[in-house]
Amino acid sequence: MRELLSILLTLLTLLWGFSPVAQAQPRFESVEFGFHGRYLPDTLTPLSVSIGNGSTAVNAILEVTQELKTGSDVVERVRIAVALPPRTRKTLSLDFHVRGVSAPVRLRLLHENGRELTRTEIELRERWSERPFTLALETQEIPNAEIYEFAKLPKRWTSYESLRRLYWGRLDPARLSEEQRTALYQWILRGGELVILGGRYALEHTGRVLPLHRASPETPQGWWMALSPLSHYQIIEDAGIVQLGGEPRPGARVIARDSQGRPLWWERSLGLGQVRLSAIETPNQWERLTERARTRSDEALFVERTLGRETIPVPARLWLILMMAFFALGVAVLGAWRLRLTVVWTLSITLLLWAYLRQPDFSRQYYSLEMNLLWGWSGESFALEQSWYAIFARRAGEQQLTVRSDSVQNLARSGQVPQALSVTAGSPQLEKQLRFYSEPISVRSFKVERFSPTEIEFFVDSSLHPPRVLIYNRSSVKLEQAAVRWRGSFYILGEIAAKSEKESVLQATVTEAEWTRNLDEPARALWQEVRTSLAPVALVAWRTMNPSLLGDRETELRRARNFVAIAGAERDL
Amino acid sequence: MSIYKYLQTVQASFNESRLLSSPSWFLGYLVLTGIPLLLALPGPSRIDEWLEPKTNFLGVFSVVAPLLLILYALNMGVAHAKSSPSVYALAGPVALLVLLSLPYWTIYQGLTVLAPERLLFALIYLLGQGLCWAYGGWLIALRWPSEIMQFNIKYALLAFVLITTFFVLHPLNPFLMLSLWLSESPLHGQGVFLAVGYGGLLIILMILSFWISRVKTKEPR
């Protein structure tokens, strides 16, 4: 009887194992993390998750969290809704801000009703990198660079945040997907650095060179033209050595030459980043490649220096102190004399304080300040929108805000761990909901970034006297207090209407000092931060836009500053 | 009894009590309560001054103010028993304590943007707590004439009640009840908690009043 029971149980177990019900539960099939499984702490790290679903359709939520113990629990959380059709495998890729090096990153797949379907963990110990990554594609050994498979290159620019430099070897751009090309292009615009190795490798690239026109990452040729420091390539073969030559495009420059005076390195600024090109495939003058990287602590300092100069209405401390002292004095004097007068005195002071503190300026629970900076580059396909938010809360409480962004950065002062933040990505992932807790009388700050199509461009024709400027404003917002910086001087242009073109003569000139004198303190601080990264020929302006933080709260006061910094070009109009 | 007559009774009770007749007693309460509030007053209006996490002195005030009120009420009860006026007249000094703290609570409300009705209910609860402790102090003074015993008993009782109500009968803990009123927490679903809190205080007050009246009738005249 016992044997029969055990056989029956075994059979039932086997049946359960092979039954569709047992295999139905969605599960994580593979998880890829970082670059070669490694990551740089305190940056966005690419994460690719394959989820298999053996049963009916499931609407699920992928939740990625990291819990840090730093006195109080700090949780970084990202949630993405995912629809899993029956009997399919779905790969989701996202970027997760890895904070510490000890706490694991947890992945959970939740049913839309909150029930956990499956979970896994990514151990982070001994997988972190001390410095940003340098990767090399389709090339031989390069000092301090890791060879990386181009097919694994992420498809979002945000995934490249931990990347310092990318070497491009014998690789045809057509072998990359359009998303990968766009991501790389945007990464460079945002401040990345691409080093293209020429020489024999250039034989793979030169077929892609087209006459210079508006470069676009949509096609491999357009993408290549958008990057290249040369407008025309020339292959020189000398004693078995293949060397690249050619015509530098406007704005590109030679940074090193060989013993015969031939260019060895070209450099071109592209947005906030750079593209370098070497004439041979194995250059030895690596020291010519200078470092330029912006760190996260700089971001916190940026908030401090610019948004930090903004003010919020607070009750006058001196007035309150005087009222408190006056009140106590009155109680001391009147209390010894008449009780009724003490009561009247107390009520009078209370009413006075009530009337003062009920002013509309002081009665908001939240003050949301934002500083938006639009970086544009005339002739490029994309503009970068960066926004810094400071949310001052008078009361403790859970807050929810919606932003449109590619990346969200939770900021804290240097050396401090930011407080918990939960980001829920909508569909499409551009719209994100931020959930966070505010301590009373405190500020939470964030930075969000996204790319958008270029809408504002301008060109200076210096061949004319006086020179002329042509501005295209295809955006739906007018530009105010516009000025062009050209050859060290500022030319005031005034207002540029939305969806318009404006041609002006560059005549009314002011110095930079005169121009900045008209700005208030936060605007001047922003200008000081921006001016070093700005191209020599640049258009600067302000836009009046509604604050981009979504949400409808009467208890909140919002204020936004929108600064536009467009790099221009000189050409015949 | 008209309010005017009631105030006269209160004033009489003040005058009869050696401890209460001095305004420095109330001034002490005002100064001690005012210190955390002074520290919590917002100074800078620039955002960068707030980026660094700061000690939340408003939170400190919301703990210190009720604690001091309870301590003062307890000692008032003890001091009042010596002059032995009507037990109801004790409500006056306790109410005066709450009233004197009103400007401070108004500043607190203004800085935290707390809903005024929440503050009102919090102060009513605080008044109830103050009365309970004042009557408790009265009973202690009547039961234990020795000042050393009074000192030991009243603080031991205070510590016992405050600690115990952190674990059982939460609504009777002044800090837990006030944290509900003074926070952002929603009130729906808290009906039972509030009913037990306010109802419990009322019952305790009635029991204490009854007890005091019994003790007083037994006292040799």
Side-chain angles (χ1 to χ4, degrees), chain B:
Chain B
M1 188 189 287
S2 70
I3 293 173
Y4 183 71
K5 279 193 175 174
Y6 181 76
L7 278 172
Q8 277 187 327
T9 319
V10 171
Q11 191 150 20
S13 73
F14 268 63
N15 297 337
E16 283 169 33
S17 166
R18 186 168 44 85
L19 193 63
L20 298 179
S21 59
S22 163
S24 61
W25 220 73
F26 289 98
L27 274 176
Y29 172 71
L30 286 184
V31 170
L32 289 174
T33 320
I35 288 169
L37 191 62
L38 271 176
L39 293 172
L41 291 180
S45 56
R46 260 173 57 159
I47 281 289
D48 54 358
E49 300 284 337
W50 298 104
L51 289 170
E52 188 91 41
K54 289 188 166 77
T55 310
N56 177 19
F57 280 105
L58 279 176
V60 176
F61 169 79
S62 67
V63 172
V64 167
L67 183 65
L68 280 171
L69 186 111
I70 288 168
L71 281 171
Y72 269 72
L74 186 60
N75 284 302
M76 267 180 181
V78 174
H80 223 77
K82 291 168 187 166
S83 52
S84 286
S86 156
V87 68
Y88 301 107
L90 191 53
V94 177
L96 185 65
L97 270 186
V98 177
L99 186 80
L100 285 175
S101 65
L102 213 52
Y104 291 177
W105 283 109
T106 307
I107 294 174
Y108 177 88
Q109 188 275 334
L111 297 183
T112 56
V113 204
L114 182 72
E117 59 274 15
R118 278 186 173 240
L119 181 63
L120 184 69
F121 282 110
L123 290 179
I124 290 170
Y125 183 84
L126 212 51
L127 179 67
Q129 278 277 349
L131 281 175
C132 284
W133 286 104
Y135 287 169
W138 185 315
L139 275 172
I140 290 167
L142 290 181
R143 175 68 184 80
W144 289 280
S146 153
E147 282 193 6
I148 293 171
M149 278 305 283
Q150 283 174 10
F151 181 88
N152 291 340
I153 298 289
K154 70 186 178 191
Y155 290 116
L157 182 72
L158 181 68
F160 174 77
V161 171
L162 290 184
I163 292 168
T164 311
T165 52
F166 257 110
F167 302 102
V168 287
L169 285 170
H170 298 152
L172 294 178
N173 187 293
F175 303 113
L176 296 180
M177 178 61 87
L178 288 176
S179 70
L180 176 67
W181 283 121
L182 304 180
S183 72
E184 192 86 6
S185 318
L187 292 174
H188 54 260
Q190 301 287 352
V192 176
F193 185 87
L194 294 172
V196 172
Y198 285 83
L201 270 190
L202 196 66
I203 291 167
I204 293 169
L205 264 178
M206 286 164 69
I207 292 170
L208 288 173
S209 306
F210 176 71
W211 197 349
I212 288 169
S213 59
R214 275 198 61 182
V215 172
K216 280 176 75 72
T217 50
K218 281 183 187 171
E219 258 183 10
R221 294 279 167 186

Side-chain angles (χ1 to χ4, degrees), chain A residues 262-415:
Chain A
R262 285 181 299 199
L264 208 53
W265 281 105
W266 291 270
E267 183 181 82
R268 182 196 165 212
S269 290
L270 179 59
L272 300 173
Q274 278 179 329
V275 180
R276 271 112 178 216
L277 173 66
S278 79
I280 53 174
E281 69 267 31
T282 51
N284 50 12
Q285 295 186 25
W286 299 111
E287 70 281 358
R288 296 278 180 173
L289 305 180
T290 49
E291 301 282 340
R292 57 194 293 277
R294 190 167 191 170
T295 63
R296 292 225 152 222
S297 56
D298 291 340
E299 293 297 346
L301 281 174
F302 185 92
V303 170
E304 232 169 277
R305 290 189 197 129
T306 57
L307 212 48
R309 308 284 173 98
E310 298 277 7
T311 54
I312 45 166
V314 289
R317 181 196 256 175
L318 184 66
W319 195 85
L320 291 176
I321 291 172
L322 284 175
M323 286 301 285
M324 284 172 73
F326 202 40
F327 166 61
L329 193 70
V331 170
V333 173
L334 300 170
W337 188 31
R338 285 280 196 280
L339 175 67
R340 270 169 290 165
L341 283 177
T342 311
V343 173
V344 172
W345 174 248
T346 307
L347 291 175
S348 309
I349 294 284
T350 304
L351 282 173
L352 207 59
L353 284 166
W354 177 266
Y356 174 66
L357 292 163
R358 292 289 287 180
Q359 286 178 47
D361 273 359
F362 306 145
S363 57
R364 309 283 186 159
Q365 287 184 18
Y366 306 104
Y367 296 90
S368 301
L369 306 171
E370 65 178 79
M371 184 98 55
N372 300 312
L373 174 56
L374 177 77
W375 291 102
W377 301 279
S378 304
E380 301 298 341
S381 304
F382 297 101
L384 175 64
E385 291 182 46
Q386 296 182 313
S387 302
W388 290 265
Y389 300 116
I391 296 145
F392 177 85
R394 284 201 196 283
R395 306 204 60 189
E398 191 84 26
Q399 294 196 59
Q400 189 168 314
L401 298 167
T402 308
V403 292
R404 287 173 64 78
S405 72
D406 294 333
S407 81
V408 176
Q409 196 175 321
N410 189 8
L411 299 175
R413 273 203 163 174
S414 311

